[in-house]
Amino acid sequence: MWGGRKLSSSGSRFLGAHRSAFRGTQADCPRLTTSAAYSKNQLSWTLQIRPSVFSEYRIMCFKSYSMTFACLNRMKSYRLPWTRLYSTSRTTVDSSEVKTFLALAHRWWDEQGVYAPLHSMNDLRVPFIRDNLLKTVADHQPGKPLSGMKILDVGCGGGLLTEPLGRLGASVIGIDPVNENIKTAQHHKSFDPVLDKRIEYRACSLEKIVEETAETFDAVIASEVVEHVIDLETFIQCCCQVLKPGGSLFITTINKTQLSYALGIVFSEQIAGIVPKGTHTWEKFVSPEKLESILESNGLSVQTVAGMLYNPFSGYWHWSENTSLNYAAHAVKSSIQEHPAPAEFALKEETEELRTETSTNSGVHEELKK
């Protein structure tokens, strides 16, 4: 209520004295103490007579502190162009999404249950991943074509895609923020001794392992995941950082169209019950164009975008030229990573060039004199 009033004359004098005290030099420190003590007495007196002065002074101090703090924050967040862009203080995990999948953690391996569409999607996504990865290698072992490759399966859930990739010979790390999902995945892989050696599961988010696994993986898989993250750009950025130069990123997701809302949410969730209610949020869906823009801004070149259609009556998926519903994308990280030179080196190079030009011009001038 007092914030809008003007300062009284005594309050103005107090603030003026306070400001002048802070502008003093180091030699003025003893006078600053005396002035501060006097100001304290004056402030106490002012509080008794005119409380509005203290209120307004308090607000002014708060604003000044806030501005200083914001400035410091901007300075702290500034980073040179050749350093990592990712900050571990940011997260891509949506807590509401975690609660949704936590309730379904025990149903991952029920092929007739709520995850039946994901089971049948393996008929498309596993060959899609395998065939595109084989384009990057000269030869491969029969029966284990992905042998020697290290793959990160982000948002692995119960391991529906992780296990087929492990059977193809790859060394796979599956991560998921829902601890119960990881427990389900670990329990299921324990039945196969071969998979137990090739697959490792971790209950964590993508950003948690960015630093320890930077440029480690030949491929990163984010299948039916990007429509659930809270910060898509940070998510893609993290995927790029853990990829080796020349590594592949595979994404399957849902396009953001009116048709995807009508069929993906209204029909699938609310009418047919193919997917549990609340599984998807239409605002988080992303179009191929926007996804491609984010990928390219992070040094990833999009190789393929293909439409995917699901038949709820037959329970099977098939490829399509139409990407208005589901689609799969394959992108490759640039093999040549450009790191801008630090400013001091750039300045040094410019100085050397100027010296060279100056010496050359001097030589020409001397020749002309002769």
Side-chain angles (χ1 to χ4, degrees), residues 45-65:
W45 175 83
T46 307
L47 278 172
Q48 294 175 6
I49 307 303
R50 300 179 186 276
S52 61
V53 174
F54 175 72
S55 175
E56 190 141 342
Y57 170 66
R58 180 182 180 186
I59 290 172
M60 290 181 68
C61 283
F62 177 77
K63 286 182 179 179
S64 176
Y65 173 80

Side-chain angles (χ1 to χ4, degrees), residues 75-358:
M75 291 172 65
K76 184 178 180 182
S77 63
Y78 173 76
R79 49 181 66 85
L80 296 174
W82 59 87
T83 59
R84 290 190 180 278
L85 298 173
Y86 174 70
S87 170
T88 53
S89 62
R90 300 170 69 181
T91 182
T92 60
V93 178
D94 190 333
S95 57
S96 62
E97 298 276 2
V98 170
K99 292 178 182 178
T100 301
F101 287 100
L102 179 61
L104 301 170
H106 63 288
R107 305 183 66 181
W108 280 103
W109 289 97
D110 179 4
E111 296 187 21
Q112 305 301 321
V114 294
Y115 290 122
L118 292 184
H119 281 273
S120 62
M121 186 185 282
N122 278 355
D123 294 339
L124 295 189
R125 57 184 179 176
V126 173
F128 181 72
I129 295 167
R130 179 199 62 204
D131 295 345
N132 281 289
L133 285 179
L134 289 181
K135 294 176 183 178
T136 64
V137 295
D139 54 358
H140 58 272
Q141 297 182 31
K144 294 189 292 183
L146 301 185
S147 180
M149 291 192 178
K150 192 171 183 180
I151 298 176
L152 178 67
D153 186 8
V154 184
C156 63
L160 303 191
L161 181 56
T162 316
E163 289 196 5
L165 294 174
R167 290 192 181 92
L168 290 174
S171 174
V172 191
I173 294 179
I175 63 171
D176 197 285
V178 182
N179 190 50
E180 294 301 317
N181 286 347
I182 294 300
K183 288 181 180 179
T184 299
Q186 288 175 333
H187 175 71
H188 196 270
K189 76 155 183 173
S190 65
F191 295 112
D192 189 334
V194 174
L195 292 180
D196 210 25
K197 295 178 181 178
R198 294 179 185 169
I199 295 175
E200 177 188 350
Y201 288 114
R202 299 184 191 179
C204 67
S205 61
L206 173 59
E207 56 269 21
K208 289 288 184 182
I209 65 168
V210 167
E211 294 300 330
E212 64 184 77
T213 58
E215 297 191 343
T216 299
F217 298 97
D218 298 289
V220 173
I221 317 296
S223 185
E224 306 306 296
V225 173
V226 300
E227 66 269 25
H228 298 291
V229 301
I230 200 169
D231 186 342
L232 179 58
E233 292 192 9
T234 298
F235 181 85
I236 298 298
Q237 191 178 44
C238 292
C239 288
C240 182
Q241 289 188 22
V242 298
L243 272 176
K244 293 178 180 178
S248 292
L249 173 61
F250 296 93
I251 293 174
T252 67
T253 189
I254 309 174
N255 198 347
K256 191 175 183 179
T257 61
Q258 293 181 350
L259 186 61
S260 69
Y261 177 78
L263 296 181
I265 295 180
V266 177
F267 176 76
S268 298
E269 294 186 18
Q270 300 174 12
I271 299 176
I274 299 171
V275 180
K277 290 183 179 180
T279 300
H280 296 111
T281 303
W282 186 78
E283 286 75 17
K284 289 184 179 180
F285 292 175
V286 57
S287 67
E289 293 77 18
K290 181 178 179 180
L291 180 62
E292 183 172 352
S293 174
I294 297 173
L295 291 170
E296 290 184 348
S297 68
N298 282 280
L300 291 154
S301 175
V302 178
Q303 306 295 306
T304 308
V305 176
M308 305 167 67
L309 291 178
Y310 178 68
N311 186 333
F313 303 104
S314 66
Y316 290 103
W317 291 83
H318 65 270
W319 294 112
S320 170
E321 294 182 359
N322 189 343
T323 60
S324 59
L325 288 172
N326 296 70
Y327 63 95
H330 171 223
V332 175
K333 183 177 180 178
S334 174
S335 298
I336 303 173
Q337 299 300 307
E338 295 182 358
H339 300 285
E344 58 179 331
F345 294 117
L347 182 61
K348 185 177 180 181
E349 288 179 1
E350 290 179 3
T351 304
E352 291 296 330
E353 288 178 2
L354 287 173
R355 285 177 180 173
T356 304
E357 290 178 4
T358 303

